[in-house]
Amino acid sequence: MCGIVAYIGPKDATPFLLEGLARLEYRGYDSAGVAVAGRTGGLKLRKVKGRVADLAAAVPARFKGGTGIGHTRWATHGVPSDANAHPHLDNAERIAVVHNGIIENADELRVKLTADGAVFRSETDTEVLSHLIAAHAAEGVELEDAVRAALGRVVGTYGIAVLDSEQPDRIVVARNGSPIVLGIGEKEMFAASDVSALVRYTRQVVHLEDGELATVRADGFRTFTADARTTHRQPSTVDWEIDSFDTGGYEHYLLKEIHEQPGSVERTLSGRLDERFSTAHLGGLNLDARELREIRRVKILGCGSAYYAGEMGAQLIEELARIPAHSEPASEFRYRNPVIEADTLYVAVSQSGETYDTLAAVQEIKRKGGRVLGVVNTVGSAIARECDGGIYLHAGPEVSVASTKAFTSTVVAFALLALHFGRIHDLSPADGRRIVAALQALPDQIREVLDQSEAIAKLAAEYADSTGMMFIGRVRGYPVAREGAQKLKEISYVHAEAYPASELKHGPLALISPELPTVALVPDDELLDKNLTTLGEIKARSGRVIAVAHRRPEDKLVDDCILVPKSEPELDPLLLNIPLQLLAYHAAVALGRDVDKPRNLAKSVTVE
């Protein structure tokens, strides 16, 4: 989950390293550091507990060198501190290493290295790598050979960049379970854990595969395997704009990304709706109609918001295609020794396309002969490359830790998949036209909801000091309630729970009081009367109710109401979710939270 940057070329590395780390700070922000190989020899190192801005303030003006690496950290081993910040050096201060991942046998290696004379200065697992590489970097040994030998003794996941003050003409990077991307410049080269650090400088990138290393020099790169076999990687072009990584005049990235959703939905839909046949074009599935008809079940795997989007997707598939569908946490999937069925389609969901738990689930399914599709936002990511086919979201870069536009685009992608499945099965042309029209109407309907942002901000300020919140919904509304509770928890730190509205009287009703308000999803559908009955149960116990509805319930049933435009019943959850994003955002702002970088969390979870 940490951020890695590296530069080699004729310019001073430090400005790029600091700017790149600032763009990657959403991946980790408890400490940061940089190391450069000075032009007169030796390594220069600065690292601090705190944000990248603190690091920039600590770097002296004469901190210069044409080869450098940097890191912004999300702590796994050892508390945030100057000592635990990366880069980590060996005893001779010759080798510098930055690392994302977890070295599982670090304790065992630390004991052996200590016995051989290594002196450890931190609590991290990463420092093991610097001492291991140094142990193999005898005089005359190429840096890449020392790195290969060291990694041969390592068990775990890693994305690393290694700098040797005695070989400053190169940087060696390696990947195993944690992303590393090379950026190709004009007589200069870059590397990073995410393309967001690179797009200001180059659009030509190379994604390393697991088990692959690269030697990066100013004039090019060479990729190879752990046993020194040369591999061949062709660059791809990144189509993201640099402006996508700026706040664009909004106070926070999160607010910007919430307001970008009409455009991101339009991009997800672009070129994929077929009005003539009332269906969706999804050529990237790599499945023809005959193969799709043979599928008897769909299982969706994701983590966090991707899991909840999968729940909404499963509901759409069952309703429109009448195929059994189920969503479950990817983090648990492979540990229950799952039965992989030949007639089941597995769908892996990840905004980054690098989520380690989801990638590991995909690999388990593939190992057992299953067919997997990916629903991802990042072109060329590990999950996208591993899957048999899939759907790119085209939502654009998402910087804030809390997912909003990628979540919404994911649900839209599932609506397209469900429509495609449904029309191949038994969904009528009339129902297909109904869904196509509703999808086309979504961007403008989302804009209608976003126009209520100021009113929702006032409402959020009134409720922000609550000890907690309950979120409830029925059937289609329940995954929306779960996502709404997730958003409130992760950015405002207000405790929130989500329950099916029908389950309230089976236990959670005991929690209802004036101090615990309830956010209730009350769409105008076949379950409206049952939802209104639940609101009555809450009000009878002096609970406060915020309804998110298509029309306001009676005043005696609600304290406040947020109205959303009506779509088709299957797509209503998409619109019901947008006010919950705004409610969580404005509550977090009212409480003075760091909205884009909530405590203890990071954007791309590339460790288990």
Side-chain angles (χ1 to χ4, degrees):
M1 289 181 277
C2 310
I4 290 173
V5 291
Y7 172 84
I8 184 166
K11 304 170 187 173
D12 282 321
T14 305
F16 165 77
L17 298 178
L18 293 174
E19 182 185 338
L21 291 179
R23 295 193 180 280
L24 292 182
E25 198 167 19
Y26 65 91
R27 296 178 67 98
Y29 34 87
D30 59 47
S31 58
V34 291
V36 300
R39 299 190 189 281
T40 57
L43 288 178
K44 297 179 180 179
L45 176 72
R46 285 292 186 279
K47 52 184 187 172
V48 299
K49 174 185 175 182
R51 300 293 176 87
V52 173
D54 300 315
L55 173 66
V59 173
R62 295 184 62 81
F63 197 85
K64 297 183 182 297
T67 308
I69 58 177
H71 189 270
T72 179
R73 182 173 183 252
W74 187 87
T76 54
H77 289 69
V79 299
S81 68
D82 289 359
N84 288 333
H86 300 213
H88 289 286
L89 308 182
D90 67 310
N91 291 159
E93 299 188 351
R94 170 187 169 182
I95 302 293
V97 178
V98 293
H99 166 230
N100 184 13
I102 294 177
I103 306 303
E104 296 174 10
N105 62 336
D107 290 343
E108 173 189 340
L109 292 170
R110 181 182 285 254
V111 170
K112 293 178 180 177
L113 288 163
T114 300
D116 291 337
V119 177
F120 284 81
R121 305 180 181 94
S122 76
E123 304 168 272
T124 69
D125 56 336
T126 301
E127 193 179 356
V128 165
L129 291 171
S130 59
H131 292 293
L132 267 181
I133 295 167
H136 290 280
E139 185 175 350
V141 174
E142 299 289 330
L143 178 60
E144 44 267 66
D145 294 330
V147 173
R148 284 194 307 104
L151 293 180
R153 298 173 61 184
V154 164
V155 176
T157 59
Y158 51 80
I160 64 170
V162 184
L163 178 61
D164 181 353
S165 64
E166 295 187 9
Q167 300 179 56
D169 62 336
R170 72 197 72 183
I171 295 170
V172 175
V173 297
R175 170 193 175 128
N176 185 47
S178 191
I180 291 290
V181 185
L182 309 182
I184 303 170
E186 184 67 31
K187 297 183 180 178
E188 60 184 355
M189 287 287 296
F190 312 87
S193 51
D194 191 298
V195 295
S196 60
L198 307 178
V199 290
R200 182 182 290 278
Y201 300 92
T202 181
R203 298 299 180 84
Q204 295 297 301
V205 301
V206 172
H207 295 266
L208 293 192
E209 299 281 357
D210 277 350
E212 198 168 33
L213 301 86
T215 298
V216 182
R217 301 174 186 267
D219 59 356
F221 67 95
R222 181 176 72 88
T223 57
F224 50 95
T225 63
D227 58 1
R229 288 183 294 107
T230 297
T231 58
H232 300 281
R233 291 279 164 258
Q234 293 300 316
S236 59
T237 302
V238 177
D239 60 2
W240 288 350
E241 298 294 332
I242 187 61
D243 291 347
S244 300
F245 297 96
D246 295 326
T247 56
Y250 288 92
E251 186 177 356
H252 298 98
Y253 281 108
L254 183 59
L255 186 60
K256 177 195 177 193
E257 288 158 9
I258 289 171
H259 280 270
E260 285 177 337
Q261 288 177 111
S264 62
V265 168
E266 287 170 344
R267 287 193 298 275
T268 303
L269 293 173
S270 180
R272 289 169 167 168
L273 290 176
D274 182 344
E275 293 184 76
R276 179 184 178 189
F277 293 106
S278 305
T279 188
H281 284 305
L282 296 171
L285 300 184
N286 297 327
L287 291 166
D288 61 28
R290 186 181 299 276
E291 290 173 302
L292 286 170
R293 287 196 62 84
E294 292 173 353
I295 291 168
R296 294 290 174 263
R297 186 182 306 275
V298 177
K299 289 193 176 181
I300 303 168
L301 305 170
C303 298
S305 291
Y307 164 44
Y308 302 138
E311 289 191 314
M312 294 169 70
Q315 179 76 29
L316 281 161
I317 291 167
E318 287 204 343
E319 286 197 83
L320 296 179
R322 304 306 299 156
I323 300 171
H326 173 69
S327 177
E328 67 176 284
S331 53
E332 294 291 309
F333 178 74
R334 71 189 190 281
Y335 291 112
R336 62 176 182 79
N337 192 22
V339 176
I340 305 301
E341 301 163 305
D343 58 358
T344 295
L345 179 66
Y346 298 86
V347 184
V349 185
S350 170
Q351 186 280 139
S352 67
E354 301 286 352
T355 307
Y356 182 77
D357 285 314
T358 307
L359 177 59
V362 170
Q363 291 168 340
E364 177 72 2
I365 295 165
K366 296 280 287 180
R367 187 180 67 81
K368 293 183 175 181
R371 185 189 295 271
V372 194
L373 298 182
V375 177
V376 300
N377 194 36
T378 306
V379 176
S381 57
I383 292 173
R385 297 196 307 272
E386 190 82 33
C387 289
D388 299 297
I391 305 171
Y392 280 122
L393 301 180
H394 302 304
E398 191 175 65
V399 175
S400 189
V401 167
S403 180
T404 51
K405 67 178 183 179
F407 175 89
T408 298
S409 284
T410 298
V411 181
V412 170
F414 274 119
L416 291 169
L417 182 62
L419 174 62
H420 185 64
F421 261 118
R423 290 292 290 123
I424 287 171
H425 285 76
D426 300 319
L427 189 71
S428 70
D431 277 329
R433 284 192 296 273
R434 178 175 62 85
I435 298 301
V436 168
L439 287 169
Q440 291 170 327
L442 278 177
D444 285 339
Q445 291 179 311
I446 293 172
R447 291 184 181 98
E448 287 184 49
V449 179
L450 296 177
D451 287 342
Q452 302 180 60
S453 182
E454 288 187 15
I456 294 172
K458 294 177 182 176
L459 187 65
E462 293 177 22
Y463 287 89
D465 290 329
S466 302
T467 57
M469 280 194 182
M470 188 84 75
F471 287 73
I472 60 171
R474 291 188 73 117
V475 188
R476 303 182 191 100
Y478 177 50
V480 181
R482 298 189 76 180
E483 171 62 11
Q486 169 99 339
K487 281 292 163 287
L488 189 68
K489 281 183 283 195
E490 64 184 345
I491 62 172
S492 76
Y493 319 147
V494 173
H495 178 72
E497 290 193 61
Y499 281 94
S502 55
E503 281 291 299
L504 206 60
K505 56 184 172 291
H506 295 292
L509 202 59
L511 297 173
I512 296 299
S513 72
E515 291 73 40
L516 186 78
T518 299
V519 178
L521 300 162
V522 192
D524 189 5
D525 60 13
E526 68 277 10
L527 296 172
L528 177 61
D529 290 341
K530 293 187 180 297
N531 277 321
L532 295 177
T533 298
T534 301
L535 300 189
E537 293 171 350
I538 296 169
K539 294 304 295 179
R541 289 153 180 86
S542 302
R544 292 184 295 165
V545 174
I546 305 169
V548 180
H550 296 129
R551 50 190 173 98
R552 185 183 176 96
E554 296 179 67
D555 287 345
K556 67 180 181 180
L557 295 179
V558 298
D559 296 273
D560 294 283
C561 184
I562 303 170
L563 295 178
V564 300
K566 184 84 176 72
S567 181
E568 294 298 331
E570 298 91 342
L571 297 177
D572 279 334
L574 271 161
L575 295 169
L576 293 169
N577 179 61
I578 307 298
L580 304 189
Q581 297 174 348
L582 289 167
L583 186 70
Y585 169 77
H586 288 300
V589 170
L591 292 168
R593 309 305 191 209
D594 191 342
V595 174
D596 288 325
K597 302 179 182 70
R599 68 187 184 198
N600 304 332
L601 300 178
K603 180 68 174 174
S604 180
V605 185
T606 56
V607 295
E608 187 173 8

